[in-house]
Amino acid sequence: MTEVVVVTLIKTAIILFALLTAFAYLTLFERVVQARLQARLGPNRVGPFGLLQPAADGVKLLFKETSGPATRDRFLYLAAPVLSLAVAFTAFTIVPVSGPTDLVVLGHRISWYVTNTNVGVLFYFALTSLGVYGIFLAGYASNSKYSLLGGLRSSAQMISYEMSLGLSLVPVFIVAGSFRLVDIVNAQRTWWFALPLLPAFIIYMIAGIAETNRAPFDLPEADTELVAGYHTEYGGMKFALFFMAEYINMVIVSSIATVMFLGGWWGPFGILPGPWWFLLKVVAVLFVYVWLRATLPRLRYDRLMQLGWKSLLPLSLAMMMATAVVVVAVQR
Amino acid sequence: MADTFTQTLPEGVEARELGSEWMELNMGPQHPSTHGVLRIKLKLDGEVVRDSDMDIGYLHTGFEKSFEDKTYAQGIPFSDRMDYLAPPINNVGFTMAVEKLLDLEVPPRAQAIRVIMMELARIGSHLIWLGTGSLDLGAVSTFLYCWREREQILDLNEAYSGVRMMTSFTRVGGVAWDLPPGWLEQLQRFVDLFPSRVDDYEALLTNNPIWKQRTVGLGTISAAEAIEWGVTGPVLRGSGVDYDVRKAFPYCGYEQYDFNVPLGRAGDTYARYLCRVQEMRESIKILDQAIRTLPDGPWITDNRKVALPPRDELPQSMEAVIHHFRLVSEGFKPPAGDVYAFVESPRGELGFYMVSDGSNKPYRVKVRPPSFCNLQALSKMIEGRLMADVVAIIGSIDIILGDVDR
């Protein structure tokens, strides 16, 4: 029992550290890739190739004066970013980074995930639904009109896209026959689900981008209309928490995409060890995020809702039915 | 229901209908998408704009009044600063008004140089419109691509006039300098390159479904309404009215160049977008012809009462020294009268109404700024639209607050 607790604590610490590093370098990755796509150089001054830029940004935000609107709801104003970030961190516990064999350290068998719960993916959905509260409460607690509009937009957006997000993963459960992420990855040993379930994968990616409020669905923080949306009134470290939550959510959506559709730790050739394949695939998905942001204009709010409810939702339902019918037919 | 309520109310208390309240949102003057210090008071019903009130004047600098305090030649640098995205066009507009007062001939080479500078400025201004307009809708890369091309225009400005933006390159009776050596080749390189860049922008936007969703059918203004509101420029032409000062009242020899005036039909944001993109291509056509047909000869009038004598004349001619002294110390005195000179700025008809009382300073200068007139139609365009469309529509009118407030 003690061993389990200690191992879990160590793993949690590693995840915290890894996710924070991933966040820091994801910001740099995004800025450099976007700069290259936009005929610019991007950050290259701080440290070799600008590698210390995230540290400089962090220090800057840490030393900023904390201020906020006088009429804010003090408790919720502080609680909102904390909630956003906590939810983002927790979701990563179910992601299996490698497998199928456990890691052996000093005679102890250690699995490549914190928990392999039997409702794995449902746990992830539960957490992303909680993420809405962080953003909505921030909009409400700021007591500012722009923030409120941003908060309302994002709650509507996240709730409607969660439906498609969830339904797009149902075909995967049907084919894999399990909710456990480890089982799902193991089912993809020969065929990545992205190939037979391509429509579901595309729906998941679109819904995932909307879920994380990234361009072209970055309406809650549409900087040119709502100034900065729900975090207009946030500054310094409190803003950084939202920023972290957004980027960590990106990492998580990409990780789930990797686990569900891109074969997790399985590589087409056995050259690289499992964790590297996993990392490579996550980075590839993140690159798509950045690429889209550099290319596409932003959707309008009502069109976004139309896309979610009238296109993605029926499509994912149809995909679910089709998969079920095919699987049953094959089993017969 | 209402009746039952009235009956139970105590005396002296009036019944009031329960209704929803509109949210008043203050957009600007510090807002990233109002293109300067424009303030719009929006009344929102959810996200739908029900009413709007424009508040301008944050950038009022009193240029029109300042003109009265300076000699005619000293007024030219003021004109740059009104529309800071197309200064050469303002320079020419102001100078043309003075030349009209004096009834002065401008040599053909000077005219051609003016046309080149004006068309470059038009492209530069449209680039900024395209860049900021697409940035408003979230297309960040187009913004930076436009900036990259505008940089070349600014380099050309700098190579010619020494200044990147506020060129102040005109003089009454011509232009200040001849083109420097190698400048035309530099311009030719830009002219050869630029059409492919416009293709790039169009590849990113013109058929992009998201871009079309955000622009088609929005901010519509019919031809009749546009004329009623006094709208000019691409906003007017987007509604299908064929009015371009360069064609309708040619100046600076625009009648010699072969170019089209792109017209839209729908009068929406998308039509205005297409008009301006086509205008950039037409400007390139004009530049290409101007390079080939650039006449030789003087670049400023030889009327010594108006233009400074060349420097090499000064040591040899007493008369030249006297002219130089008179022009520098008090300037010239046009005959009393009033004129209206107007040019096609990237935003529309830019007019200078100038009254002379026969002294060396204008008695009154009134500018007809295209942005100010076009902005008036905004309230009508955004009514009943979503808040998100407001930024798209403001972008499509292409206002310059310096031009609005002066």
Side-chain angles (χ1 to χ4, degrees):
Chain A
M1 187 64 205
T2 344
E3 190 192 307
V4 174
V5 171
V6 170
V7 167
T8 307
L9 277 177
I10 292 175
K11 278 191 213 166
T12 313
I14 291 175
I15 284 189
L16 273 180
F17 176 78
L19 276 184
L20 281 176
T21 317
F23 151 71
Y25 282 92
L26 182 55
T27 58
L28 184 70
F29 173 76
E30 178 176 33
R31 287 170 70 180
V32 171
V33 171
Q34 225 187 350
R36 297 293 162 165
L37 292 171
Q38 293 170 344
R40 294 185 288 126
L41 288 175
N44 62 355
R45 296 289 102 179
V46 193
F49 309 109
L51 283 177
L52 295 179
Q53 184 69 42
D57 290 343
V59 170
K60 186 199 82 173
L61 286 169
L62 208 56
F63 281 101
K64 278 212 164 179
E65 185 189 350
T66 51
S67 65
T71 50
R72 69 188 184 268
D73 182 321
R74 279 169 196 277
F75 174 71
L76 290 180
Y77 181 77
L78 206 62
V82 175
L83 181 68
S84 282
L85 188 62
V87 165
F89 272 127
T90 317
F92 202 79
T93 51
I94 56 160
V95 176
V97 179
S98 184
T101 50
D102 291 344
L103 184 69
V104 181
V105 180
L106 302 173
H108 298 281
R109 289 165 58 84
I110 298 170
S111 50
W112 287 94
Y113 42 80
V114 177
T115 134
N116 185 21
T117 160
N118 58 348
V119 291
V121 185
L122 294 184
F123 177 71
Y124 163 66
F125 291 148
L127 285 171
T128 49
S129 313
L130 277 178
V132 181
Y133 285 99
I135 289 177
F136 177 71
L137 288 178
Y140 167 76
S142 300
N143 204 357
S144 145
K145 288 170 186 172
Y146 284 111
S147 301
L148 185 65
L149 276 177
L152 285 175
R153 275 186 177 190
S154 71
S155 353
Q157 175 179 340
M158 290 173 85
I159 289 167
S160 29
Y161 274 83
E162 233 148 64
M163 308 277 290
S164 327
L165 190 77
L167 287 174
S168 70
L169 291 180
V170 174
V172 176
F173 309 146
I174 296 176
V175 176
S178 170
F179 271 133
R180 286 175 195 268
L181 275 76
V182 177
D183 297 348
I184 291 172
V185 180
N186 278 326
Q188 299 180 69
R189 186 151 195 180
T190 42
W191 283 100
W192 295 359
F193 286 157
L195 298 171
L197 302 176
L198 187 65
F201 179 54
I202 293 170
I203 294 169
Y204 173 80
M205 282 303 292
I206 296 175
I209 293 167
E211 179 70 20
T212 45
N213 299 330
R214 296 279 307 175
F217 308 111
D218 53 344
L219 297 181
E221 44 182 306
D223 51 342
T224 46
E225 301 151 25
L226 295 180
V227 190
Y230 61 89
H231 58 60
T232 302
E233 305 292 350
Y234 282 85
M237 238 10 232
K238 288 200 281 289
F239 162 74
L241 293 185
F242 275 125
F243 202 59
M244 276 183 211
E246 180 183 329
Y247 279 78
I248 291 173
N249 273 327
M250 273 168 72
V251 174
I252 286 162
V253 169
S254 309
S255 308
I256 297 284
T258 308
V259 168
M260 292 287 175
F261 293 102
L262 298 177
W265 62 77
W266 298 111
F269 338 97
I271 314 164
L272 287 172
W276 289 105
W277 276 118
F278 183 82
L279 188 68
L280 206 65
K281 290 171 188 174
V282 170
V283 170
V285 177
L286 287 172
F287 177 77
V288 175
Y289 265 90
V290 179
W291 188 10
L292 285 176
R293 184 178 173 188
T295 314
L296 292 178
R298 183 181 303 121
L299 256 80
R300 205 176 65 193
Y301 177 65
D302 56 328
R303 304 276 183 184
L304 178 93
M305 300 305 270
Q306 277 179 18
L307 179 72
W309 287 103
K310 293 187 181 165
S311 312
L312 287 187
L313 193 61
L315 273 176
S316 47
L317 278 170
M319 184 64 202
M320 187 177 91
M321 306 278 273
T323 319
V325 167
V326 170
V327 166
V328 169
V330 168
Q331 277 172 353
R332 283 269 164 88
Chain B
M1 276 299 282
D3 290 336
T4 43
F5 268 122
T6 355
Q7 285 163 8
T8 55
L9 279 172
E11 230 166 274
V13 178
E14 268 178 58
R16 183 165 59 86
E17 207 176 313
L18 284 170
S20 56
E21 227 177 280
W22 289 345
M23 180 165 91
E24 203 164 304
L25 188 75
N26 194 16
M27 202 167 163
Q30 277 93 20
H31 187 282
S33 306
T34 52
H35 294 244
V37 281
L38 171 68
R39 176 171 167 232
I40 310 173
K41 282 180 274 180
L42 295 171
K43 291 226 172 68
L44 296 179
D45 180 2
E47 289 213 24
V48 181
V49 178
R50 289 296 174 207
D51 194 15
S52 62
D53 191 9
M54 241 56 72
D55 188 2
I56 57 171
Y58 287 92
L59 209 59
H60 178 64
T61 359
F63 286 127
E64 289 174 348
K65 188 73 188 164
S66 304
F67 281 129
E68 297 169 16
D69 215 32
K70 300 280 174 197
T71 64
Y72 288 93
Q74 286 169 337
I76 294 170
F78 279 126
S79 66
D80 287 307
R81 283 149 180 84
M82 284 189 294
D83 180 350
Y84 37 78
L85 291 188
I89 295 178
N90 288 37
N91 292 154
V92 173
F94 179 82
T95 321
M96 269 171 57
V98 183
E99 283 155 4
K100 212 164 170 181
L101 270 178
L102 289 161
D103 202 13
L104 194 70
E105 279 286 313
V106 179
R109 188 174 172 84
Q111 303 274 35
I113 294 175
R114 285 180 181 185
V115 167
I116 291 176
M117 290 299 285
M118 282 197 287
E119 291 312 311
L120 274 178
R122 192 179 318 279
I123 295 174
S125 172
H126 281 352
L127 280 175
I128 291 194
W129 153 79
L130 180 60
T132 55
S134 52
L135 183 69
D136 289 345
L137 299 187
V140 190
S141 297
T142 324
F143 170 72
L144 287 146
Y145 298 150
C146 290
W147 240 244
R148 174 184 63 191
E149 269 69 75
R150 179 168 178 262
E151 192 63 23
Q152 298 194 22
I153 295 176
L154 294 183
D155 285 346
L156 282 162
N157 276 353
E158 189 180 11
Y160 174 55
S161 68
V163 188
R164 285 160 61 80
M165 280 176 73
M166 306 303 168
T167 49
S168 296
F169 77 111
T170 57
R171 295 292 179 270
V172 178
V175 293
W177 317 275
D178 196 10
L179 296 176
W183 196 83
L184 280 178
E185 288 74 30
Q186 196 182 342
L187 176 63
Q188 185 69 56
R189 281 197 294 279
F190 173 72
V191 169
D192 293 341
L193 170 85
F194 190 67
S196 67
R197 301 289 176 147
V198 182
D199 294 342
D200 287 353
Y201 312 145
E202 286 214 80
L204 276 170
L205 298 177
T206 303
N207 288 319
N208 182 330
I210 301 180
W211 179 257
K212 280 179 126 170
Q213 270 185 3
R214 294 299 310 267
T215 52
V216 174
L218 292 179
T220 315
I221 187 161
S222 71
E225 283 168 339
I227 292 170
E228 246 170 53
W229 282 96
V231 165
T232 48
V235 185
L236 179 67
R237 292 194 286 274
S239 302
V241 182
D242 188 1
Y243 176 69
D244 184 319
V245 181
R246 293 176 293 175
K247 283 276 190 208
F249 303 96
Y251 54 95
C252 289
Y254 266 115
E255 64 276 9
Q256 305 159 20
Y257 303 103
D258 170 37
F259 66 100
N260 300 319
V261 177
L263 290 182
R265 192 172 297 152
D268 58 0
T269 304
Y270 189 64
R272 296 195 274 274
Y273 157 77
L274 288 180
C275 267
R276 289 203 182 89
V277 171
Q278 290 309 316
E279 261 178 42
M280 290 202 264
R281 296 187 192 274
E282 295 300 322
S283 291
I284 283 291
K285 263 164 75 181
I286 298 177
L287 282 173
D288 201 36
Q289 294 167 47
I291 295 173
R292 278 186 280 110
T293 61
L294 184 70
D296 283 329
W299 58 88
I300 191 158
T301 176
D302 54 3
N303 184 341
R304 295 280 180 266
K305 302 275 184 212
V306 175
L308 289 175
R311 202 143 266 276
D312 55 333
E313 260 181 38
L314 289 180
Q316 290 151 24
S317 153
M318 191 61 213
E319 207 189 343
V321 175
I322 293 167
H323 282 315
H324 189 276
F325 179 73
R326 285 290 299 270
L327 279 175
V328 170
S329 59
E330 66 162 5
F332 49 82
K333 294 178 179 171
D338 61 322
V339 292
Y340 179 69
F342 51 116
V343 292
E344 181 72 21
S345 114
R347 276 155 274 286
E349 178 183 324
L350 170 72
F352 284 85
Y353 175 68
M354 198 177 278
V355 183
S356 160
D357 56 358
S359 75
N360 61 343
K361 291 168 187 164
Y363 176 76
R364 174 84 172 93
V365 177
K366 166 81 181 83
V367 183
R368 187 243 183 243
S371 300
F372 178 80
C373 300
N374 293 355
L375 183 62
Q376 307 310 314
L378 180 65
S379 271
K380 202 182 149 12
M381 290 184 195
I382 62 178
E383 202 183 299
R385 293 285 164 204
L386 292 176
M387 155 107 189
D389 295 331
V390 173
V391 287
I393 296 169
I394 295 177
S396 79
I397 299 181
D398 190 20
I399 46 163
I400 295 301
L401 266 297
D403 197 29
V404 173
D405 295 341
R406 305 181 303 293

